[in-house]
Amino acid sequence: SFDDVDLTRSTGRVIGREMAAAGANLDFAPVVDIVDNPENEFMLKRSYGSTAEMVSRHGAAFLEGLNEAGIRGCAKHFPGHGATSVDSHKGMPVIQSTLEEWLQKDAVPFQQMIDSGVDMIMVGHLAYPNIDLSGLPASMSAVFLQDQLRDRMGYQGLIITDDIEMEGYPQGEERREAVITSFLAGIDLFAIGHTPEIQKDVLDALKSGIETGRI
């Protein structure tokens, strides 16, 4: 059965033990995106299901398993990557949900993860222009990071971006400014895939933000 919560918990525990044996203490999982769009091929195999209820139960079970092995979890990709067939590695998805629709569906598994004590949430490079009218990706959006995640949902843990080397996030010259926008919007940590130059560039941008008094 696809709906075996005990198996999901056991999977989390086994993965957690393997990670602990390797000296890691954090897993960038579980994915709690609800995938109800069969064209969303790149997310289909990464999701626990097509309903908020199913994804919430399995996400919480996986986190329990990880925690039993002494590993921290990270729920992703806030505010919900399921409703799009655009891969944010290649471009920025735009999702047309209203605030009411988001609260009733995509927000639900994230609230479950917060209630389950998740220590970290990863934010995607995806825009919900009917919720944040600026059209900025959630990874740069105070509407999502402050108004929703912190204030309404009561989350007090760490907020990390999805990899900012992905095309859904501003690249090149625009990246430095975007990083400051993200930080001021509420990002605590930046995930930077593998390029040392980009890592240094982001560090320099944050330092200059402090030196100029913007941060």
Side-chain angles (χ1 to χ4, degrees):
S1 153
F2 283 117
D3 197 8
D4 185 341
V5 177
D6 292 333
L7 182 60
T8 301
R9 188 180 294 106
S10 300
T11 305
R13 196 182 304 122
V14 169
I15 289 173
R17 283 180 187 160
E18 293 288 328
M19 293 184 71
N25 64 3
L26 170 71
D27 186 4
F28 285 135
V31 168
V32 291
D33 299 306
I34 302 162
V35 178
D36 55 4
N37 176 359
E39 290 173 23
N40 189 349
E41 289 180 11
F42 80 105
M43 288 298 298
L44 206 54
K45 293 174 181 169
R46 303 177 67 189
S47 171
Y48 284 118
S50 58
T51 67
E53 192 269 335
M54 190 157 171
V55 171
S56 296
R57 276 190 296 122
H58 286 270
F62 184 87
L63 182 69
E64 273 176 41
L66 279 183
N67 291 167
E68 283 168 19
I71 303 294
R72 304 292 92 197
C74 171
K76 63 187 185 185
H77 306 81
F78 186 82
H81 210 312
T84 172
S85 55
V86 176
D87 182 344
S88 52
H89 291 88
K90 299 170 184 162
M92 186 179 74
V94 176
I95 299 167
Q96 298 298 340
S97 307
T98 64
L99 181 60
E100 288 70 27
E101 289 167 337
W102 179 73
L103 289 172
Q104 286 169 12
K105 186 182 147 195
D106 294 279
V108 172
F110 287 100
Q111 188 68 64
Q112 173 66 60
M113 298 307 294
I114 292 166
D115 296 344
S116 298
V118 76
D119 291 282
M120 186 181 282
I121 287 178
M122 181 178 285
V123 182
H125 311 309
L126 25 135
Y128 281 73
N130 290 316
I131 301 174
D132 182 346
L133 307 181
S134 72
L136 286 172
S139 49
M140 297 169 67
S141 166
V143 171
F144 274 109
L145 303 181
Q146 294 293 339
D147 301 352
Q148 295 301 325
L149 191 52
R150 293 288 192 213
D151 298 344
R152 195 188 58 76
M153 300 173 82
Y155 178 62
Q156 295 179 344
L158 285 164
I159 301 175
I160 188 169
T161 64
D162 205 346
D163 184 3
I164 66 168
E165 292 193 33
M166 289 159 57
E167 292 299 325
Y169 196 79
Q171 300 296 312
E173 290 296 305
E174 295 174 5
R175 190 190 303 110
R176 294 174 69 91
E177 191 58 34
V179 162
I180 291 179
T181 302
S182 289
F183 188 83
L184 294 175
I187 291 292
D188 298 308
L189 293 166
F190 291 88
I192 307 171
H194 55 271
T195 310
E197 297 76 37
I198 294 179
Q199 294 169 10
K200 184 177 183 310
D201 199 37
V202 169
L203 186 58
D204 289 344
L206 292 169
K207 281 181 179 172
S208 74
I210 292 166
E211 284 158 9
T212 57
R214 293 180 65 195
I215 293 177

